[in-house]
Amino acid sequence: MQSISCLWPQRGVSSGILSDVTLIRAVAIGFLAGGAGALIFDPRGEGPDHLRLALLMGLLVGQFLTVPVSLVGGIVWARPRKGKPIRPYDFSMGSLLMALGVLVVTQAQAAVTWLSTDPTPGGVGDPDGETSIAGLAGLSGCLMVLVGLALLANGVWTSTRTGDLRPTMEASYNG
């Protein structure tokens, strides 16, 4: 069986994993920043269901804009540098991202259920299009949960290597 170090030639395993975690953090920041897009869209109709759908559409548009930008920023940030860059705590970012991901998934499921009623709710132009947007928002929420789990797993792995389950200043540095 080959070692995992063959995946990162000319670099140690830990530096490759840390670069990957930096990119995961950048995607997480993009997901969280995309939440500001939820304030963009106005509901087309009256009631909480129209508001829910508008918030999900805004979140999706915001994430389409912020995730690629933060990923490019993460690639620049993950470059090898002299010194030890400060790493953000994985526990808080991972927990927040998981909680928001679960919220997005539940709200997307509620929107899909609402849009699937017969007759079609008033104020909805294309029920199939709106259902696909709610489904994409649910997929985005699932990805948020997975990225949050990856950050939590990295936080636990990093803290057990340092001998403490709480992140410390020593654990916040690469190395």
Side-chain angles (χ1 to χ4, degrees), residues 42-136:
D42 289 332
R44 292 183 186 169
E46 296 293 324
D49 293 319
H50 288 282
L51 178 63
R52 175 187 297 130
L53 186 60
L55 291 175
L56 288 174
M57 288 185 344
L59 174 79
L60 208 56
V61 169
Q63 288 177 348
F64 277 138
L65 297 175
T66 58
V67 170
V69 170
S70 67
L71 188 58
V72 169
I75 290 170
V76 170
W77 189 30
R79 285 188 338 226
R81 291 184 234 156
K82 293 181 181 179
K84 296 182 176 184
I86 296 176
R87 294 176 18 194
Y89 293 135
D90 293 329
F91 291 113
S92 57
M93 189 185 307
S95 300
L96 178 64
L97 195 62
M98 279 184 53
L100 288 177
V102 168
L103 178 67
V104 168
V105 167
T106 58
Q107 294 306 307
Q109 180 61 36
V112 167
T113 303
W114 172 66
L115 289 167
S116 299
T117 60
D118 196 31
T120 304
V124 175
D126 178 22
D128 292 334
E130 305 291 343
T131 301
S132 64
I133 287 175
L136 282 174

Side-chain angles (χ1 to χ4, degrees), residues 19-35:
S19 295
D20 294 340
V21 171
T22 303
L23 294 179
I24 290 172
R25 287 187 192 111
V27 170
I29 290 169
F31 275 133
L32 292 173

Side-chain angles (χ1 to χ4, degrees), residues 129-172:
E130 305 291 343
T131 301
S132 64
I133 287 175
L136 282 174
L139 180 62
S140 169
C142 290
L143 290 174
M144 291 169 70
V145 169
L146 290 175
V147 170
L149 278 172
L151 288 174
L152 283 176
N154 183 63
V156 169
W157 181 72
T158 303
S159 63
T160 55
R161 283 187 43 201
T162 60
D164 189 22
L165 277 180
R166 290 191 55 142
T168 62
M169 285 305 287
E170 293 84 25
S172 68

